[in-house]
Amino acid sequence: MKILVINGPNLNMLGIREPELYGKQDYAALVAFAENACAELGFECEVFQSNHEGAIVDKIQEGYGKVDGIIINPAAYTHTSVAILDALKAVAIPAVEVHLTDVNSREDFRKVSYAGMACLKTYAGFGFEGYRMAAEFLKNYLK
Ligand code: DQA
């Protein structure tokens, strides 16, 4: 079974970007963590990152018929993108939303998640560990 992990804008800046919020580990460490978590659960996985909304929509569409589950951290597009919500609904691939930080305890505008409306579950505030939790959820959901 194959999982597509999608990371949105500015997550490639991990380690540099607001380390007091997002931690000191870089994006390569997050990719390694997600790949490892998937492998431990017996999933094949592809990790994709883009700073562009349309590229994320394209990647979700490409997953149709090819991947069994999606783990998505849409980053700032979480709070703005109806296009990503619609893409997730269009492909209807079981999806789980992840955020490194606890979006609900930050600014009010971060409390709205469009993508989350098409996701089975959200893990927010667990750092990298949220990606493992999402993969475990999908493992149970898909069996
Ligand atoms: C984030 C939370 C978003 O509000 C923010 O725009 C991000 C990262 C997180 O992982 O905590 O870029 O998705």
Side-chain angles (χ1 to χ4, degrees):
M1 279 200 283
K2 187 161 179 184
I3 299 296
L4 174 60
V5 180
I6 298 178
N7 288 313
N10 301 305
L11 288 167
N12 57 314
M13 295 292 283
L14 283 181
I16 297 165
R17 167 191 196 198
E18 300 177 271
E20 65 290 353
L21 271 180
Y22 296 109
K24 289 186 183 142
Q25 295 196 82
D26 65 9
Y27 184 68
L30 176 58
V31 172
F33 184 95
E35 285 175 348
N36 228 27
C38 285
E40 275 173 17
L41 292 163
F43 284 130
E44 246 185 88
C45 104
E46 178 186 350
V47 184
F48 173 82
Q49 189 276 331
S50 180
N51 294 324
H52 305 278
E53 185 177 18
I56 294 170
V57 169
D58 287 344
K59 196 69 194 175
I60 292 168
Q61 291 185 6
E62 276 169 29
Y64 182 72
K66 295 197 190 107
V67 304
D68 303 289
I70 292 177
I71 295 172
I72 185 162
N73 180 349
Y77 290 139
T78 305
H79 319 298
T80 62
S81 180
V82 177
I84 292 174
L85 165 64
D86 285 350
L88 290 169
K89 286 171 106 172
V91 297
I93 298 166
V96 179
E97 177 185 23
V98 172
H99 298 287
L100 297 168
T101 61
D102 180 9
V103 280
N104 286 312
S105 65
R106 297 180 62 190
E107 301 95 325
D108 280 349
F109 68 83
R110 293 186 205 273
K111 292 180 181 152
V112 174
S113 171
Y114 289 99
M117 293 173 198
C119 291
L120 296 163
K121 183 107 186 146
T122 297
Y123 295 99
F126 300 104
F128 286 10
E129 198 53 38
Y131 289 77
R132 185 198 306 284
M133 294 160 98
E136 272 167 5
F137 177 89
L138 284 171
K139 184 79 190 178
N140 284 324
Y141 183 82
L142 293 168
K143 79 176 172 211

Coordinates of all heavy atoms in Angstrom, one line a residue, residues 64-110:
Y64 N -4.8 9.9 -7.7 CA -6.0 9.2 -8.0 C -5.7 7.8 -8.6 O -5.1 7.8 -9.7 CB -7.0 10.0 -8.9 CG -8.3 9.3 -9.1 CD1 -9.2 9.1 -8.1 CD2 -8.5 8.7 -10.4 CE1 -10.4 8.4 -8.3 CE2 -9.7 8.0 -10.6 CZ -10.7 7.9 -9.6 OH -11.8 7.2 -9.8
G65 N -6.2 6.7 -8.0 CA -6.0 5.4 -8.6 C -4.5 4.9 -8.3 O -4.2 3.8 -8.7
K66 N -3.7 5.7 -7.7 CA -2.3 5.3 -7.5 C -1.9 5.1 -6.0 O -1.0 4.4 -5.7 CB -1.3 6.3 -8.1 CG -1.5 6.3 -9.6 CD -0.3 7.0 -10.2 CE -0.5 7.3 -11.7 NZ -0.7 8.8 -12.0
V67 N -2.5 6.0 -5.2 CA -2.1 5.9 -3.7 C -3.4 5.5 -2.9 O -4.5 5.8 -3.3 CB -1.5 7.2 -3.2 CG1 -0.3 7.5 -4.0 CG2 -2.4 8.3 -3.1
D68 N -3.1 4.9 -1.8 CA -4.1 4.4 -0.9 C -4.5 5.4 0.2 O -5.6 5.3 0.8 CB -3.7 3.1 -0.3 CG -3.3 2.0 -1.3 OD1 -4.2 1.6 -2.0 OD2 -2.1 1.8 -1.5
G69 N -3.6 6.3 0.5 CA -3.9 7.2 1.5 C -3.0 8.5 1.4 O -2.0 8.4 0.7
I70 N -3.5 9.6 1.9 CA -2.7 10.8 1.9 C -2.6 11.4 3.3 O -3.5 11.4 4.1 CB -3.5 11.9 1.0 CG1 -3.5 11.5 -0.5 CG2 -2.9 13.3 1.1 CD1 -4.3 12.4 -1.4
I71 N -1.3 11.8 3.6 CA -1.1 12.6 4.8 C -0.7 14.0 4.3 O 0.2 14.1 3.5 CB 0.1 11.9 5.6 CG1 -0.3 10.5 6.1 CG2 0.5 12.8 6.8 CD1 0.8 9.7 6.7
I72 N -1.5 15.0 4.8 CA -1.2 16.3 4.2 C -1.1 17.4 5.3 O -1.9 17.4 6.3 CB -2.4 16.7 3.2 CG1 -2.1 18.1 2.6 CG2 -3.7 16.7 3.9 CD1 -2.8 18.3 1.3
N73 N 0.0 18.1 5.2 CA 0.2 19.3 6.0 C 0.1 20.5 5.0 O 1.2 20.8 4.4 CB 1.5 19.3 6.8 CG 1.6 20.6 7.7 OD1 0.9 21.5 7.5 ND2 2.6 20.6 8.5
P74 N -1.0 21.1 4.8 CA -1.1 22.1 3.7 C -0.5 23.4 4.2 O -0.5 24.4 3.4 CB -2.6 22.3 3.5 CG -3.3 21.2 4.3 CD -2.3 20.8 5.4
A75 N 0.1 23.5 5.4 CA 0.7 24.7 5.9 C -0.3 25.9 5.8 O -1.5 25.7 6.1 CB 2.0 24.9 5.3
A76 N 0.2 27.0 5.3 CA -0.7 28.2 5.3 C -1.9 28.0 4.4 O -3.0 28.6 4.7 CB 0.1 29.4 4.9
Y77 N -1.8 27.1 3.4 CA -3.0 26.9 2.5 C -4.1 26.2 3.3 O -5.3 26.2 2.8 CB -2.6 26.1 1.3 CG -1.7 26.9 0.3 CD1 -0.6 26.2 -0.3 CD2 -2.0 28.2 0.0 CE1 0.1 26.9 -1.2 CE2 -1.2 28.9 -0.9 CZ -0.2 28.2 -1.5 OH 0.6 28.9 -2.4
T78 N -3.8 25.6 4.4 CA -4.8 25.0 5.3 C -6.0 26.0 5.5 O -7.2 25.6 5.4 CB -4.3 24.8 6.7 OG1 -3.1 24.0 6.6 CG2 -5.3 24.1 7.6
H79 N -5.6 27.2 5.7 CA -6.6 28.2 6.2 C -7.2 29.1 5.1 O -8.0 30.0 5.3 CB -5.9 29.2 7.2 CG -5.0 28.4 8.2 ND1 -5.4 27.5 9.0 CD2 -3.6 28.5 8.3 CE1 -4.4 27.0 9.7 NE2 -3.3 27.6 9.3
T80 N -6.8 28.8 3.8 CA -7.2 29.6 2.7 C -7.7 28.8 1.5 O -8.5 29.4 0.7 CB -6.1 30.5 2.2 OG1 -5.0 29.7 1.7 CG2 -5.6 31.4 3.3
S81 N -7.3 27.6 1.4 CA -7.5 26.9 0.1 C -8.7 26.0 -0.1 O -8.7 24.9 0.3 CB -6.2 26.1 -0.3 OG -6.4 25.5 -1.6
V82 N -9.7 26.6 -0.8 CA -10.8 25.8 -1.2 C -10.4 24.8 -2.3 O -10.9 23.7 -2.4 CB -12.0 26.7 -1.6 CG1 -13.2 25.9 -2.1 CG2 -12.4 27.6 -0.5
A83 N -9.4 25.2 -3.1 CA -8.9 24.4 -4.2 C -8.3 23.0 -3.7 O -8.6 22.0 -4.2 CB -7.9 25.1 -5.0
I84 N -7.6 23.1 -2.6 CA -7.0 21.9 -2.0 C -8.1 21.0 -1.4 O -8.2 19.8 -1.5 CB -5.9 22.2 -1.0 CG1 -4.7 22.8 -1.8 CG2 -5.5 21.0 -0.2 CD1 -3.5 23.3 -0.9
L85 N -9.1 21.7 -0.7 CA -10.2 21.0 -0.2 C -10.9 20.2 -1.3 O -11.2 19.0 -1.2 CB -11.2 22.0 0.5 CG -12.6 21.4 0.8 CD1 -12.6 20.3 1.8 CD2 -13.5 22.5 1.3
D86 N -11.2 20.9 -2.4 CA -12.0 20.3 -3.5 C -11.2 19.2 -4.2 O -11.8 18.2 -4.6 CB -12.3 21.4 -4.6 CG -13.5 22.3 -4.1 OD1 -14.1 22.0 -3.1 OD2 -13.7 23.3 -4.8
A87 N -9.9 19.3 -4.2 CA -9.0 18.3 -4.8 C -9.1 17.0 -4.0 O -9.3 15.9 -4.5 CB -7.6 18.7 -5.0
L88 N -9.0 17.2 -2.6 CA -9.1 16.0 -1.7 C -10.5 15.4 -1.9 O -10.6 14.1 -1.9 CB -8.9 16.5 -0.3 CG -7.4 16.9 0.0 CD1 -7.4 17.5 1.4 CD2 -6.5 15.7 0.0
K89 N -11.5 16.2 -2.0 CA -12.9 15.6 -2.1 C -13.0 14.9 -3.5 O -13.7 13.9 -3.6 CB -13.9 16.7 -2.0 CG -14.1 17.2 -0.6 CD -15.0 18.4 -0.5 CE -16.3 18.1 0.0 NZ -17.1 19.3 0.3
A90 N -12.4 15.5 -4.5 CA -12.5 14.9 -5.9 C -11.9 13.5 -6.0 O -12.5 12.6 -6.5 CB -11.8 15.9 -6.9
V91 N -10.7 13.4 -5.4 CA -10.1 12.0 -5.5 C -10.6 11.1 -4.5 O -10.5 9.8 -4.6 CB -8.6 12.1 -5.4 CG1 -8.0 12.9 -6.5 CG2 -8.1 12.7 -4.0
A92 N -11.2 11.6 -3.4 CA -11.8 10.8 -2.3 C -10.8 9.7 -1.8 O -11.2 8.6 -1.5 CB -13.1 10.2 -2.7
I93 N -9.5 10.0 -1.7 CA -8.5 9.1 -1.1 C -8.5 9.4 0.4 O -8.5 10.6 0.7 CB -7.1 9.4 -1.7 CG1 -7.1 9.2 -3.3 CG2 -6.1 8.6 -1.0 CD1 -5.9 9.7 -4.0
P94 N -8.6 8.4 1.2 CA -8.6 8.6 2.7 C -7.4 9.5 3.0 O -6.2 9.2 2.7 CB -8.4 7.2 3.3 CG -9.0 6.3 2.2 CD -8.6 6.9 0.9
A95 N -7.7 10.6 3.7 CA -6.7 11.6 4.0 C -6.7 12.0 5.4 O -7.7 12.0 6.1 CB -6.9 12.9 3.1
V96 N -5.5 12.3 5.9 CA -5.3 12.7 7.3 C -4.5 14.0 7.3 O -3.5 14.2 6.6 CB -4.6 11.7 8.2 CG1 -4.4 12.1 9.6 CG2 -5.3 10.4 8.2
E97 N -5.0 15.0 8.1 CA -4.3 16.3 8.2 C -3.3 16.3 9.4 O -3.6 15.8 10.4 CB -5.4 17.3 8.4 CG -5.0 18.8 8.6 CD -6.1 19.7 9.0 OE1 -7.2 19.2 9.5 OE2 -6.0 20.9 8.8
V98 N -2.2 16.9 9.1 CA -1.2 17.0 10.2 C -0.7 18.5 10.3 O -0.5 19.1 9.2 CB 0.1 16.1 9.9 CG1 1.2 16.4 10.9 CG2 -0.4 14.6 10.0
H99 N -0.5 19.0 11.5 CA 0.2 20.2 11.7 C 1.2 20.0 12.8 O 1.0 19.4 13.8 CB -0.8 21.3 12.1 CG -1.8 21.6 11.1 ND1 -1.5 22.3 9.9 CD2 -3.1 21.2 11.0 CE1 -2.6 22.3 9.2 NE2 -3.5 21.7 9.8
L100 N 2.4 20.6 12.6 CA 3.5 20.5 13.6 C 3.1 21.2 14.9 O 3.3 20.7 16.0 CB 4.8 21.1 13.1 CG 5.4 20.4 11.8 CD1 6.5 21.3 11.2 CD2 5.9 19.1 12.2
T101 N 2.4 22.3 14.7 CA 2.0 23.1 15.9 C 0.5 22.9 16.2 O -0.2 22.4 15.3 CB 2.3 24.6 15.6 OG1 1.5 25.0 14.5 CG2 3.7 24.9 15.4
D102 N 0.1 23.3 17.4 CA -1.3 23.2 17.7 C -2.0 24.5 17.2 O -2.1 25.5 17.8 CB -1.4 23.2 19.3 CG -2.8 23.1 19.7 OD1 -3.7 22.9 18.8 OD2 -3.1 23.2 20.9
V103 N -2.5 24.3 16.0 CA -3.1 25.5 15.3 C -4.3 26.1 16.1 O -4.5 27.3 15.9 CB -3.5 25.1 13.8 CG1 -2.4 25.1 12.9 CG2 -4.2 23.8 13.8
N104 N -4.9 25.3 16.9 CA -6.1 25.8 17.6 C -5.7 26.7 18.8 O -6.6 27.4 19.3 CB -6.9 24.6 18.1 CG -7.7 24.0 16.9 OD1 -8.3 24.8 16.2 ND2 -7.6 22.7 16.8
S105 N -4.4 26.7 19.2 CA -4.0 27.5 20.3 C -3.2 28.7 19.8 O -2.6 29.4 20.5 CB -3.3 26.8 21.4 OG -2.1 26.3 20.8
R106 N -3.3 29.0 18.4 CA -2.5 30.1 17.9 C -3.5 31.2 17.4 O -4.6 31.3 18.0 CB -1.6 29.6 16.7 CG -0.5 28.6 17.2 CD 0.3 28.1 16.1 NE 1.1 29.2 15.4 CZ 1.7 29.0 14.3 NH1 1.8 27.8 13.7 NH2 2.4 30.1 13.8
E107 N -3.2 32.0 16.4 CA -4.1 33.0 16.0 C -5.4 32.5 15.5 O -5.5 31.4 15.0 CB -3.5 33.8 14.8 CG -2.1 34.5 15.1 CD -1.0 33.6 14.6 OE1 -1.1 32.3 14.7 OE2 0.0 34.2 14.2
D108 N -6.5 33.3 15.7 CA -7.8 32.8 15.3 C -7.9 32.3 13.8 O -8.6 31.4 13.6 CB -8.8 34.0 15.5 CG -9.2 34.1 17.0 OD1 -8.9 33.2 17.8 OD2 -9.9 35.1 17.3
F109 N -7.2 33.0 12.9 CA -7.3 32.6 11.5 C -6.7 31.2 11.3 O -7.1 30.6 10.3 CB -6.6 33.7 10.6 CG -5.1 33.7 10.7 CD1 -4.3 32.8 10.0 CD2 -4.5 34.7 11.5 CE1 -2.9 32.9 10.1 CE2 -3.1 34.8 11.6 CZ -2.3 33.9 10.9
R110 N -6.0 30.7 12.2 CA -5.4 29.3 12.0 C -6.4 28.3 12.5 O -6.2 27.1 12.4 CB -4.1 29.1 12.7 CG -3.0 30.0 12.1 CD -1.6 29.7 12.8 NE -0.7 30.8 12.6 CZ 0.0 31.0 11.5 NH1 0.1 30.2 10.6 NH2 0.8 32.1 11.5

